[in-house]
Amino acid sequence: MSVIPDNGLERAPQVPAADQTLRILRHLAGRPAPVAASAIARELELPRSSVYHLLTTLAAHGFVLHLREERRWSLGTAASELAGGFARQQPLARLGRPLVAALADSLGESTHLAVMSGSDVVYIVEERAPRRPALVTEVGVRLPAHLTATGRAMLAALPREQVRALYPDRSAFSTRIDAAPSTPAELRELLREARGRGYAVEDGEVTPGLRSVGVAVHDAAGWPIAAVAATWSTNAESDEQVAAAAVAATASALERRLRR
């Protein structure tokens, strides 16, 4: 049996199509805006026909999104689900738990950390403050992203085209709550307010009588991979801006830990 010597040289990929697919996904993940297929082919030095075929296949599986009017391509919701799966398999939860616990101690209110999974959020850390009511945001619970402070914070940080793909029409808003957005236009306005404010707010739309503020956690490429939030009773004398500033500081601290 012959043995191929390891001489330190980079080996050619054994499955070129898989190699090209992963390079395209990484390329899109590193760009701040959608990219034209021709630019992908040029920058990665790949045949244009191969790039189109691979993008079409990735789009069929939801890993990329074709913005037809702009003739551009961006990451799709399935790509964010991969990020969420990675997060749930330890790193984000492990690194975020002590920070979220410290936030609960400093505010005296319950806090949590969540990731996106399609159009839902999944909670991966929860810290309940003493003498505070139980929340629905236990670890592993899924909630519609447009109803929650964590979901709204991440949606506000996504490209607008991505939000349109997740919420194309009224049918995407399966949960009907009077105070919550029920159309794409209402959601766009709510996210615009969150971007201007610097944090997202939810007031009684998940649990009546409870209010939350949330701030997104970004990866090195600027993609929102998680969000931190604090929740308190609407009858409490908590200062929203003070809570939001503390939540934002925790989100920034988690970003720094993730980039080490």
Side-chain angles (χ1 to χ4, degrees), residues 80 117 121 137 163:
S80 69
S117 178
V121 294
T137 54
V163 177

Side-chain angles (χ1 to χ4, degrees), residues 13-170:
Q14 294 184 355
V15 187
D19 177 73
Q20 293 169 4
T21 299
L22 294 172
R23 289 175 64 199
I24 289 172
L25 287 173
R26 177 169 287 180
H27 183 77
L28 289 173
R31 295 298 176 274
V35 183
S38 58
I40 296 173
R42 182 178 62 254
E43 294 180 28
L44 295 183
E45 298 181 346
L46 296 174
R48 187 175 295 192
S49 60
S50 296
V51 169
Y52 278 108
H53 288 312
L54 291 172
L55 286 171
T56 300
T57 301
L58 286 167
H61 290 277
F63 285 93
V64 301
L65 178 67
H66 187 200
L67 311 174
R68 297 183 184 279
E69 294 181 359
E70 302 178 29
R71 298 181 180 180
R72 296 277 192 281
W73 299 80
S74 71
L75 288 177
T77 56
S80 69
E81 290 177 8
L82 283 181
F86 172 77
R88 291 190 295 276
Q89 289 171 13
Q90 283 296 323
L92 263 175
R94 187 179 69 251
L95 294 174
R97 186 171 289 108
L99 297 174
V100 172
L103 176 63
D105 289 342
S106 67
L107 290 177
E109 303 291 354
S110 296
T111 57
H112 37 266
L113 177 68
V115 296
M116 287 282 289
S117 178
S119 59
D120 291 339
V121 294
V122 179
Y123 292 90
I124 61 173
V125 175
E126 185 197 28
E127 290 292 336
R128 190 186 306 172
R131 296 179 295 281
R132 291 295 183 266
L135 305 177
V136 299
T137 54
E138 294 181 356
V139 173
V141 167
R142 299 174 71 100
L143 290 175
H146 69 282
L147 296 182
T148 69
T150 51
R152 292 172 181 179
M154 287 184 277
L155 288 170
L158 285 174
R160 288 167 174 78
E161 298 83 4
Q162 190 78 43
V163 177
R164 281 203 298 270
L166 290 169
Y167 299 93
D169 52 42
R170 281 180 176 270

